[in-house]
Amino acid sequence: MVLLLLPRLASAQAPGPRWHSALDSLQALERLPQSDSSRVQLLCRISDQLWASDTEAAAAYSRRALALARRTHNRAGEGAALNRLGAALRESNLARALELFQESLRLGRELRDTTLQAQNLRSIGIIYVYLRDRQLGLSYYFEGLRLDSLLGDERRIAVDLSNIGLAYDLYDELDSAAYYQQRAYQLAQRLHASTNYILYGLGNVARKQGHFAEAREYYRRSVVESKRRRHLRSLNFSYLGLAALYQQQQQSDSSIYYARLGAQAARQNGFLRGVLNASVLLTQDFAQRGQLDSAFRYQKLLVTMKDTLFGQEKVMRLQNVDYLERQRAQEAIVAQQAIHNRYQTYGLLVGLAGLGLLLALRLRHGRRMQRTNAALQASLADLKQAQLMLVQREKMAFLGEMTAGVAHELQNPLSFVKRFAEVSTELVDEINGAQQLARDGNLERDILDGLKQNLLNISQHGQRATAIIKGMLEHARTGQAPRELTDLNELARQQLELAYAGTQQQFPGFVAEVRTELEPALPAAAVVAQDLGRVLLNLCTNALYAVRQRQQRAEVGYVPTVTIGSGRLPDGRLHLWVRDNGAGIAPEVLPRIFEPFFTTKPVGEGTGLGLSLSHDIVVNGHQGQLEVTSRPGEGTEFRLTLPAS
């Protein structure tokens, strides 16, 4: 009776002290003698209470409940424990969580437990929403809503409506998101149920619609309720909602403050996705402020969290869970058929005699095995295709997040273009006014010089924005051009000449010594000539830039020199190199040279995408290697190695 009277976290309405009282009461009750079935239910309740504040402790209690339920053959308790363990593991092991939810759902269907079925449908829907699978995620949500409606469980219906609203918000379908969140809010208000997640969802809709004051109020109300309920997960969502709001209003200090609070709440709860979302916002904020060290530190954390949650192997395993579930059902049918076939074979062996009849049975079995093998091969082909599509989907999702970050990079040059254009307009107005009052040659000349300088600045920052966009488009390419036999020596010579001509055009009067050390007998290689040419052109341009920078120091006897060469290694691999006698690269910078957006050039002179793109073309596009060695004060050498044909 005590267990039946203790509220679950999802429906608890008391402030902070009562939350502690409920958890303390449950843990105190655990020390009292009771039946095994009551203890399983109690352990699940404790896990549910801890889920919002300490996922590791929640997982430990749910494992104890699962072990006890299985030992005592408590099928209903096993289903409940599987669901709570899946909820606790959802952030650290998404694939395992999905397996646990599906196993719990099967038990619910076997036991005809509608409540357990609805709970698992909602849990599975959350995972597919995480994976941006709109159709599948919403189908699980609406099925869970249907079952809760049949049960008449209005508190769960409010949760279902809010989840559906959050899903539509994720897909930027704001009208649908607002509709379901308003329904959830009205129902929760009538029931005096928790509204912390619903307020966050309403805040998101208001923010995306541009109603910033209304959004801020919703988020702050969600923060207050989340703190009162000690609900760290919804507290993370609310803080990150405020951070996104202030970022959208260009208030980076406030955005950073709330993003850090959100990250802190997520870490305390073990909520990896919350840490990932906070890292995205912090990376964007620090990049916009020009604090590149902080931006790269959070970008590194972002990549680590993303790999933990969505590494390629984890994504493939996660998406295979449903496939394995269908395979398991098919195997059960095949097993039943196998038993039937076995008895049939025994009957034939008893009823029939002779080597001829036995041979006929063997032939029949062989044909059946062939058909089975063909069916398995077809299933394997379907699985591989599904894996390929899922990896591509994750790649595109990551590209979308990365592109959103680059938008902040583009704002700087575009804001400069706008500013210089406005100043130029004022200068034109000023010279017109000056001409009407008195003809002053010196004044006109000063104004025209300023106007010319503004136009040069507009051109420079426009080219900067173009370079960023071009680099992102190169990173976003998903196709692969056909390979063809190419003369690497001629390709290297052409790219060195193009780079030298381009540098001289950019810096009139610049002269350097360019050399070639190309092996005459180098065989033709099957490469994508256009992509490899882009790599060599980028390396040569960087080398010429480096020697020009050193030349400007006016060192006595210094001759700027860039050399490109080719050769063949003993194992048959081909290699090209670009060497310069510039200032070299500092040792602490060298390990990061191929990172996206990292550049050693001054602000405005490089996008930080050239070497990253070159590395991707060589390593991923040609299965080769791109390495760099440098000696500060002496020069740098980039070495490109291609596999043997």
Side-chain angles (χ1 to χ4, degrees):
M1 290 298 295
V2 175
L3 285 174
L4 294 175
L5 294 174
L6 288 173
R8 296 190 59 175
L9 181 62
S11 59
Q13 302 304 312
R18 185 175 171 185
W19 182 91
H20 284 294
S21 176
L23 180 59
D24 293 341
S25 298
L26 288 171
Q27 291 177 331
L29 187 60
E30 181 193 358
R31 294 188 288 270
L32 300 177
Q34 56 198 284
S35 65
D36 290 335
S37 60
S38 297
R39 185 172 296 278
V40 169
Q41 185 181 7
L42 174 62
L43 293 173
C44 288
R45 290 288 183 87
I46 296 176
S47 175
D48 203 15
Q49 288 279 354
L50 289 168
W51 175 81
S53 60
D54 188 345
T55 53
E56 291 185 1
Y61 275 97
S62 58
R63 286 192 177 96
R64 289 175 57 192
L66 180 61
L68 179 58
R70 285 176 171 170
R71 188 167 62 249
T72 58
H73 306 289
N74 181 353
R75 303 270 286 168
E78 181 180 358
L82 286 169
N83 179 270
R84 300 323 306 148
L85 180 57
L89 296 180
R90 187 163 56 209
E91 302 307 326
S92 60
N93 193 338
L94 209 57
R96 179 57 179 157
L98 182 56
E99 291 176 340
L100 293 169
F101 291 144
Q102 288 177 335
E103 186 176 356
S104 180
L105 179 60
R106 286 197 303 273
L107 276 174
R109 287 170 174 165
E110 292 175 9
L111 299 172
R112 301 183 183 276
D113 186 338
T114 306
T115 300
L116 183 59
Q117 293 179 51
Q119 189 172 8
N120 282 289
L121 289 168
R122 184 166 46 249
S123 300
I124 295 172
I126 291 173
I127 290 182
Y128 282 106
V129 170
Y130 276 2
L131 296 175
R132 303 297 195 274
D133 193 328
R134 180 185 183 280
Q135 181 177 359
L136 200 54
L138 286 174
S139 68
Y140 277 103
Y141 276 164
F142 280 109
E143 179 63 10
L145 174 61
R146 185 185 69 82
L147 294 183
D148 283 332
S149 299
L150 290 175
L151 292 169
D153 189 340
E154 291 188 318
R155 291 184 180 274
R156 287 300 179 185
I157 290 173
V159 174
D160 292 330
L161 292 171
S162 180
N163 282 343
I164 293 171
L166 289 173
Y168 278 120
D169 170 63
L170 186 64
Y171 308 129
D172 289 329
E173 297 180 33
L174 299 184
D175 291 340
S176 297
Y179 170 76
Y180 284 100
Q181 292 293 6
Q182 287 293 347
R183 286 185 58 190
Y185 184 73
Q186 293 169 5
L187 181 57
Q189 288 284 87
R190 181 168 62 82
L191 298 172
H192 302 289
S194 60
T195 59
N196 42 332
Y197 275 114
I198 302 173
L199 290 169
Y200 162 77
L202 291 170
N204 272 1
V205 173
R207 174 176 60 82
K208 292 183 178 180
Q209 291 176 339
H211 306 151
F212 297 140
E214 183 180 355
R216 188 181 300 109
E217 179 63 20
Y218 280 130
Y219 287 140
R220 287 177 175 172
R221 288 172 60 191
S222 179
V223 167
V224 170
E225 184 171 343
S226 299
K227 286 182 177 179
R228 188 175 72 247
R229 298 182 182 284
R230 299 275 298 176
H231 204 299
L232 295 177
R233 189 162 303 205
S234 65
L235 186 61
N236 163 263
F237 280 103
S238 305
Y239 278 142
L240 295 189
L242 284 168
L245 174 65
Y246 285 115
Q247 185 184 87
Q248 195 169 340
Q249 295 180 298
Q250 304 296 317
Q251 299 181 34
S252 59
D253 289 341
S254 297
S255 178
I256 291 172
Y257 172 77
Y258 285 107
R260 282 174 168 167
L261 288 178
Q264 180 181 2
R267 289 193 187 98
Q268 290 177 2
N269 180 236
F271 184 27
L272 300 185
R273 175 170 292 276
V275 178
L276 170 64
N277 293 336
S279 301
V280 172
L281 290 170
L282 289 168
T283 299
Q284 294 170 351
D285 287 331
F286 283 116
Q288 184 180 13
R289 289 159 60 103
Q291 296 177 241
L292 299 183
D293 290 344
S294 297
F296 283 125
R297 182 172 70 252
Y298 283 105
Q299 185 182 47
K300 183 177 180 181
L301 177 61
L302 185 156
V303 171
T304 301
M305 290 294 99
K306 195 168 188 65
D307 183 66
T308 301
L309 288 168
F310 295 110
Q312 181 171 330
E313 292 183 2
K314 290 186 176 180
V315 171
M316 292 171 64
R317 177 170 175 247
L318 175 62
Q319 299 302 324
N320 287 342
V321 170
D322 257 356
Y323 178 84
L324 293 175
E325 183 71 10
R326 293 192 297 270
Q327 285 290 94
R328 188 178 292 110
Q330 293 176 0
E331 288 172 0
I333 296 174
V334 171
Q336 292 177 356
Q337 184 64 35
I339 294 173
H340 174 74
N341 291 340
R342 187 178 302 115
Y343 286 125
Q344 184 180 36
T345 301
Y346 290 154
L348 289 172
L349 289 174
V350 172
L352 299 175
L355 184 60
L357 189 54
L358 180 60
L359 180 60
L361 289 175
R362 286 185 174 274
L363 291 174
R364 180 182 180 185
H365 179 69
R367 287 194 298 270
R368 187 170 296 169
M369 289 296 295
Q370 289 176 354
R371 289 194 298 270
T372 302
N373 186 53
L376 290 174
Q377 291 295 331
S379 297
L380 181 60
D382 291 341
L383 174 59
K384 290 181 178 179
Q385 182 65 25
Q387 290 174 344
L388 181 62
M389 291 174 63
L390 293 167
V391 171
Q392 183 66 20
R393 180 190 301 171
E394 181 62 20
K395 178 179 178 183
M396 294 307 295
F398 178 72
L399 179 61
E401 294 176 4
M402 188 176 181
T403 304
V406 174
H408 293 277
E409 290 285 338
L410 290 174
Q411 287 178 353
N412 291 330
L414 293 179
S415 63
F416 278 113
V417 170
K418 180 180 178 182
R419 190 181 310 153
F420 285 120
E422 292 173 353
V423 174
S424 299
T425 302
E426 294 173 0
L427 290 175
V428 172
D429 293 339
E430 185 175 344
I431 192 172
N432 287 334
Q435 287 177 346
Q436 291 175 3
L437 295 175
R439 193 77 176 182
D440 187 338
N442 291 332
L443 177 59
E444 291 182 8
R445 184 165 51 256
D446 291 341
I447 293 176
L448 290 173
D449 287 344
L451 185 59
K452 179 180 179 180
Q453 183 60 42
N454 285 347
L455 293 174
L456 289 175
N457 287 331
I458 289 173
S459 175
Q460 176 186 358
H461 289 288
Q463 291 173 2
R464 163 73 172 165
T466 301
I468 293 173
I469 293 172
K470 181 180 178 181
M472 285 307 302
L473 289 174
E474 293 294 344
H475 267 288
R477 291 194 315 164
T478 57
Q480 175 66 50
R483 299 192 183 194
E484 54 186 12
L485 289 176
T486 303
D487 185 345
L488 296 182
N489 286 340
E490 183 61 26
L491 183 65
R493 188 180 295 108
Q494 290 175 358
Q495 301 310 315
L496 179 60
E497 293 173 357
L498 285 174
Y500 188 42
T503 304
Q504 287 184 316
Q505 183 179 4
Q506 184 180 4
F507 305 106
F510 170 69
V511 178
E513 183 176 347
V514 292
R515 301 176 180 174
T516 58
E517 298 179 3
L518 305 172
E519 182 176 321
L522 194 71
V527 298
V528 181
Q530 181 181 358
D531 289 351
L532 198 61
R534 187 181 298 111
V535 173
L536 295 174
L537 179 62
N538 181 64
L539 296 179
C540 292
T541 301
N542 287 346
L544 290 164
Y545 179 89
V547 298
R548 180 180 177 276
Q549 292 298 104
R550 183 176 176 182
Q551 185 185 45
Q552 291 180 331
R553 301 178 186 173
E555 299 179 14
V556 178
Y558 174 68
V559 178
T561 305
V562 174
T563 305
I564 191 168
S566 65
R568 187 169 186 176
L569 298 175
D571 59 4
R573 292 183 298 165
L574 306 180
H575 65 125
L576 302 166
W577 69 87
V578 177
R579 183 188 309 124
D580 66 70
N581 63 345
I585 304 173
E588 63 271 15
V589 172
L590 205 59
R592 304 178 57 191
I593 202 70
F594 296 118
E595 292 181 4
F597 301 110
F598 180 80
T599 178
T600 58
K601 297 178 181 178
V603 176
E605 294 191 19
T607 65
L609 293 171
L611 286 176
S612 172
L613 179 59
S614 299
H615 186 270
D616 184 65
I617 290 172
V618 173
V619 176
N620 297 327
H622 290 81
Q623 292 73 53
Q625 294 178 316
L626 181 59
E627 302 170 318
V628 58
T629 56
S630 183
R631 296 175 296 280
E634 298 182 21
T636 302
E637 179 178 316
F638 283 88
R639 184 172 295 271
L640 187 159
T641 306
L642 298 174
S645 56

